[in-house]
Amino acid sequence: MAEPIEEGILREIDEELRQDQFALLWKKYGKFFLGVAAIIIATVAGYKGWESYDISSRGQQGERFATSLRLAQEGNEQEALDALKAFSAEAGTGYQMLSGFKAAALMADQGDAAGATAAYDKLVDDNSLQSVYRDLAVLLGAVQRLNAGEDTVALTTRLAPLSADDNPWRHSARELMAVLADQSGDKTKARELFKALSEDQAAPQGIRQRAGEMLAALSQ
C-alpha cells in the first residue's frame, strides 16, 4: 500500500495527465522523479565503497559522516555541507565518494545547480572510482544540467553510453533521455522511449509507471 505522500503525488499526477500538461508535470515532479530516486541509489551505492575498510577506521569515519547527515536532517544544511567538505579532504576513498555525492545533493537542494554539477563532475573525473559510481555521477549531473536548462542535444549525447543494455543505470538514463527528447520537440522519440520503458519488465516499477503516465500525457 502506498504511503500517504505517494498517494497524493500520484493523484496530482493523474490530474495533470487529464489536463494534458506534460511540461507542467515535469516541472513539478522532475526533480522528485530523478533527483530523490538517484540520491537514494547513491547512498546505497556509496555504502559499497566503504564496506571493505578496516572496522576501526570505518567506525571513526562513519561517526563523522553520520554527524554531517544529522546536521542536514536538522535543517542545518550549510553546516552539513561545510562538514562534508572538510571530511572529504581527510576521508578514505569510500567515504570520500559518499561525501561527494551527499555534498552535491545538498547543493542541489539549496538551488546551487552550478555547485552541484561541479561536484558531480569531480566524481565523474575521479579515475579511482569504479565505473558504476562514475556513471551514477554522470546521471545525477545530467539532472542538474537539465533543470538548469542546458542544451538537450549535448545532454543526450552525454547520457547515451549509460543507456547501453549492460549499464546498471540504463533505465534511469533512458527515462531522462525521453524527457530530453520531449523538450527538444522530438515527440516521436519521446513516445518511443517512454513506451519501451513502460513495457520493460526489467525496469524498476516506479520507472515503468512514470513512463506509462508520461506516454499517456504525450499521446493526448
Side-chain angles (χ1 to χ4, degrees):
M1 179 179 294
E3 296 292 331
I5 189 171
E6 294 171 341
E7 292 175 351
I9 289 171
L10 293 175
R11 182 169 56 254
E12 288 189 42
I13 288 175
D14 185 60
E15 292 172 357
E16 297 290 355
L17 291 177
R18 285 197 294 269
Q19 296 171 22
D20 190 22
Q21 296 179 335
F22 180 92
L24 181 58
L25 184 68
W26 173 255
K27 182 180 179 181
K28 290 179 67 176
Y29 298 111
K31 291 182 180 180
F32 177 85
F33 287 162
L34 290 162
V36 174
I39 290 167
I40 292 171
I41 292 171
T43 302
V44 174
Y47 175 78
K48 294 295 183 181
W50 84 69
E51 67 178 357
S52 62
Y53 270 53
D54 175 78
I55 292 177
S56 61
S57 174
R58 192 192 331 162
Q60 184 179 46
Q61 294 189 39
E63 180 55 38
R64 289 189 64 184
F65 182 70
T67 298
S68 300
L69 294 185
R70 283 195 294 271
L71 285 170
Q73 291 168 355
E74 292 166 358
N76 302 313
E77 292 191 347
Q78 188 56 51
E79 289 182 44
L81 185 56
D82 291 342
L84 285 167
K85 288 180 178 178
F87 175 49
S88 180
E90 305 170 9
T93 303
Y95 273 115
Q96 190 175 67
M97 175 183 70
L98 188 55
S99 295
F101 276 115
K102 186 60 182 177
L106 284 173
M107 283 186 275
D109 287 344
Q110 292 177 334
D112 183 4
T117 299
Y120 287 129
D121 285 349
K122 183 178 180 180
L123 290 163
V124 172
D125 294 336
D126 188 346
N127 292 324
S128 71
L129 298 183
Q130 296 179 29
S131 61
V132 64
Y133 305 129
R134 294 170 66 192
D135 284 351
L136 176 59
V138 170
L139 179 65
L140 293 171
V143 174
Q144 292 305 308
R145 287 181 160 89
L146 170 61
N147 289 330
E150 290 198 18
D151 180 67
T152 57
V153 175
L155 283 177
T156 299
T157 300
R158 186 176 182 85
L159 287 167
L162 277 65
S163 69
D165 290 340
D166 61 349
N167 192 290
W169 311 115
R170 61 189 180 279
H171 298 111
S172 293
R174 291 168 185 172
E175 181 180 27
L176 188 51
M177 289 171 71
V179 173
L180 289 167
D182 174 74
Q183 292 199 352
S184 68
D186 192 346
K187 306 294 184 182
T188 300
K189 183 63 175 180
R191 283 193 291 267
E192 175 187 317
L193 288 170
F194 280 131
K195 184 175 186 296
L197 280 170
S198 69
E199 297 173 350
D200 187 350
Q201 295 304 308
Q205 182 179 356
I207 289 180
R208 293 202 310 273
Q209 180 175 323
R210 289 196 301 272
E213 291 165 346
M214 294 296 191
L215 180 62
L218 285 170
S219 300
Q220 292 180 9

